[in-house]
Amino acid sequence: MADEENSSDRADGDTPKPEKMFTLKKWNAVAMWSWDVECDTCAICRVQVMDACLRCQAESKTGSGKQDCVVVWGECNHSFHYCCMSLWVKQNNRCPLCQQEWSIQRMGK
Amino acid sequence: MITLTRKLKKETTVSNGPPITDASKRVSVRDRLLVKEVQEMEQTLPGTCHVNFENPNELFNITLTVSPDEGYWAGGTFHFHIYVTEDYNMAPPEVKCLTKLWHPNISEEGDICLSLLRQNSIDSLGWAPTRRIKDVVWGLNSLFTDLLNFDDPLNLQATELYLKDKEAFRQKVNDYVKQYAKR
Ligand SMILES: [Zn+2]
Ligand SMILES: [Zn+2]
Ligand SMILES: [Zn+2]
């Protein structure tokens, strides 16, 4: 469990008691999960990937258009709105964040 | 800009009423991006730069003025027109230099050689939708200092003169500044 010790060392300087170390690790795990699911922002349109992309928001005539606007993950693990990425790959078939050649790992919500 | 923000607000409040179908009344993706980006650009503007909008409703028509305070072009004032196309941010803005100058990376006609304005680039230096208007402004401003590049010239004669005789190059740059770039 070397990771556990490292992360608590980095997190704060005041020598933590064992109980404290445990709580900190739990807090970290929750933060990671919520980042992945809720807080990822599409680097193309700068809207959170869980919301409809800027284009769908601009074009939808009623509501948010959320149903059709899905998330796509590349092999590089970067995620974008499928709408945004499908437009960009027509210009340049690379991930705009890491410049790797773009290939889809999975799609969904 | 204020008007556009108001337009955006109006559009969102209208959404519970009848939907707006008229395309001309719709605020495009480009304009939505620009409302945020222009604000960000104005907050991070280098001291040597000044931006102006001929029409505050057209954030896509930006006039940039660069007054370098160091380097060969110091003392000159150079105007650029930045046109953010409807394809933004899939495509880079189109930029022209409106002031005639003697520069290896800017032609006398005002065409600009700046890697981040290139649409199709195989390296990481070209356009990407992760870039913002403030990056374009920063790039243009840096053409007079850090990004000045004699290896990939657009004005070949300028580069040749620089390599042959730096003092003559300086003199020619100065002559152009005196003639064309004094405000
Ligand atoms: Zn997006
Ligand atoms: Zn979408
Ligand atoms: Zn990537």
Side-chain angles (χ1 to χ4, degrees):
Chain A
M1 279 297 201
D3 281 344
E4 195 184 329
E5 277 167 31
N6 280 344
S7 60
S8 50
D9 277 353
R10 257 183 279 115
D12 54 4
D14 55 6
T15 49
K17 294 179 195 84
E19 311 93 77
K20 203 178 175 186
M21 239 197 266
F22 178 74
T23 2
L24 190 66
K25 196 196 173 211
K26 197 175 172 189
W27 180 82
N28 270 347
V30 172
M32 292 282 283
W33 174 82
S34 65
W35 170 264
D36 194 33
V37 176
E38 289 173 348
C39 302
D40 245 352
T41 299
C42 172
I44 298 175
C45 73
R46 298 137 204 182
V47 170
Q48 290 189 9
V49 287
M50 297 317 287
D51 291 334
C53 73
L54 201 58
R55 189 160 279 95
C56 286
Q57 285 183 23
E59 286 173 5
S60 74
K61 290 172 184 79
T62 50
S64 62
K66 218 170 184 168
Q67 298 86 339
D68 313 323
C69 196
V70 296
V71 188
V72 62
W73 284 263
E75 289 296 343
C76 60
N77 281 320
H78 286 127
S79 60
F80 305 91
H81 294 110
Y82 179 76
C83 307
C84 297
M85 202 53 192
S86 61
L87 272 175
W88 173 245
V89 294
K90 281 188 220 156
Q91 309 286 343
N92 196 335
N93 193 33
R94 281 163 200 281
C95 172
L97 286 171
C98 64
Q99 313 302 327
Q100 280 185 51
E101 198 154 302
W102 177 255
S103 64
I104 294 176
Q105 185 197 90
R106 67 196 163 97
M107 270 167 70
K109 282 250 69 161
Chain B
M1 184 159 116
I2 298 153
T3 329
L4 192 63
T5 318
R6 206 181 294 140
K7 199 169 159 192
L8 274 170
K9 271 199 195 122
K10 211 160 132 198
E11 193 188 281
T12 33
T13 49
V14 156
S15 63
N16 6 347
I20 305 168
T21 39
D22 185 352
S24 65
K25 280 185 189 152
R26 227 160 47 200
V27 180
S28 70
V29 167
R30 170 195 62 183
D31 294 338
R32 283 166 185 254
L33 288 169
L34 281 178
V35 169
K36 283 188 214 149
E37 285 195 34
V38 163
Q39 225 169 347
E40 188 187 34
M41 170 196 69
E42 285 176 333
Q43 280 159 6
T44 58
L45 207 59
T48 48
C49 293
H50 181 81
V51 284
N52 194 48
F53 298 90
E54 290 140 67
N55 179 346
N57 285 321
E58 295 186 355
L59 293 181
F60 49 86
N61 270 318
I62 306 168
T63 310
L64 168 71
T65 306
V66 182
S67 311
D69 55 6
E70 56 173 331
Y72 290 105
W73 293 269
T77 299
F78 305 92
H79 303 282
F80 294 87
H81 183 251
I82 302 172
Y83 173 61
V84 186
T85 68
E86 196 68 57
D87 293 334
Y88 191 78
N89 58 3
M90 296 297 156
E94 291 170 4
V95 186
K96 274 273 184 185
C97 184
L98 308 174
T99 308
K100 196 166 170 173
L101 81 173
W102 187 250
H103 190 297
N105 311 117
I106 305 174
S107 76
E108 290 192 63
E109 291 73 39
D111 294 319
I112 297 157
C113 179
L114 180 62
S115 54
L116 74 86
L117 294 175
R118 267 184 221 142
Q119 173 72 77
N120 293 306
S121 182
I122 44 157
D123 54 34
S124 59
L125 302 171
W127 180 255
T130 45
R131 298 194 186 280
R132 320 260 171 126
I133 296 298
K134 68 172 171 140
D135 301 319
V136 173
V137 169
W138 174 85
L140 293 169
N141 183 49
S142 304
L143 271 180
F144 296 101
T145 52
D146 299 341
L147 291 181
L148 167 61
N149 179 3
F150 291 98
D151 297 327
D152 182 21
L154 200 57
N155 182 338
L156 259 174
Q157 283 174 296
T159 297
E160 279 166 11
L161 184 61
Y162 175 84
L163 296 175
K164 207 170 69 191
D165 184 347
K166 290 188 177 49
E167 211 28 65
F169 174 81
R170 181 184 292 279
Q171 193 53 53
K172 182 135 189 173
V173 166
N174 264 331
D175 291 346
Y176 271 65
V177 166
K178 273 193 201 115
Q179 202 175 344
Y180 304 109
K182 284 292 177 190
R183 268 155 227 277

